[in-house]
Amino acid sequence: MGFRLNDPSGHSETTAIRKACKKLKTSDLRGAVLYASLQPCLMCFSTAFWAGISKIVYGCRKTKEMITKHYYEGSTDIHTVNKNNTRKIELVYVPDFEKESLDVVQVWEDQRQANPMKVFVGKGKAEEKTDAVKEIKHYYQKSPRK
């Protein structure tokens, strides 16, 4: 979404963090959980770190194909970065939603190719991304903890 808004930091995770900070009138989101369709990129992971996010739950891991399509900055592994950070974020991959997460990405990709200048927010198929993240959140909250 960032390229359509001329905002290179305008990824859904950073947008969600900005909105939460603004709504709560704080930059300290300690204890918060970030839910995402895809494994966050390094920028989004770093933003979550600096905001104090405690846990990130996501439904699809980064792949080489996604790197090739420029969904990610490169092959930097957030798990390795996390191990070296002064504060660890709990990273939770929920594989049960990988297909749904990839379907959401495909819808976004199809919309972007059909109309690269249009921003898809709030209406139509873009809402499916929000629904997929809600499903991941619901599933994670209901599943037994390891």
Side-chain angles (χ1 to χ4, degrees):
M1 168 124 63
F3 73 92
R4 290 186 296 210
L5 299 175
N6 297 315
D7 177 2
S9 68
H11 295 191
S12 58
E13 296 92 340
T14 56
T15 300
I17 291 168
R18 278 189 197 113
K19 286 181 179 181
C21 288
K22 186 175 181 177
K23 183 173 184 165
L24 298 171
K25 296 180 179 14
T26 183
S27 61
D28 184 357
L29 299 178
R30 268 183 283 178
V33 179
L34 177 65
Y35 294 91
S37 298
L38 301 179
Q39 177 179 323
C41 71
L42 183 59
M43 177 189 66
C44 293
F45 171 80
S46 296
T47 302
F49 174 86
W50 289 111
I53 302 280
S54 301
K55 183 185 300 183
I56 299 173
V57 180
Y58 58 94
C60 184
R61 288 186 176 151
K62 179 186 339 186
T63 66
K64 288 181 182 183
E65 179 185 6
M66 291 175 186
I67 295 167
T68 301
K69 289 182 174 185
H70 302 287
Y71 297 167
Y72 293 95
E73 75 292 339
S75 59
T76 305
D77 180 29
I78 62 170
H79 294 88
T80 302
V81 172
N82 196 37
K83 286 178 191 173
N84 294 319
N85 279 354
T86 55
R87 181 182 64 80
K88 310 303 180 245
I89 297 176
E90 183 180 353
L91 300 172
V92 181
Y93 166 56
V94 183
D96 299 29
F97 287 96
E98 185 146 349
K99 183 188 179 319
E100 287 86 351
S101 295
L102 289 171
D103 289 347
V104 168
V105 172
Q106 187 61 54
V107 167
W108 173 81
E109 203 170 84
D110 291 348
Q111 289 176 342
R112 182 177 67 140
Q113 289 175 2
N115 192 345
M117 296 310 291
K118 185 173 182 184
V119 177
F120 293 92
V121 291
K123 296 287 180 193
K125 296 194 181 240
E127 288 180 351
E128 293 177 20
K129 180 169 186 171
T130 304
D131 292 342
V133 171
K134 284 179 186 174
E135 285 182 43
I136 292 168
K137 181 178 179 181
H138 179 74
Y139 174 85
Y140 176 76
Q141 290 175 337
K142 298 293 181 194
S143 65
R145 302 294 187 269
K146 292 181 180 179

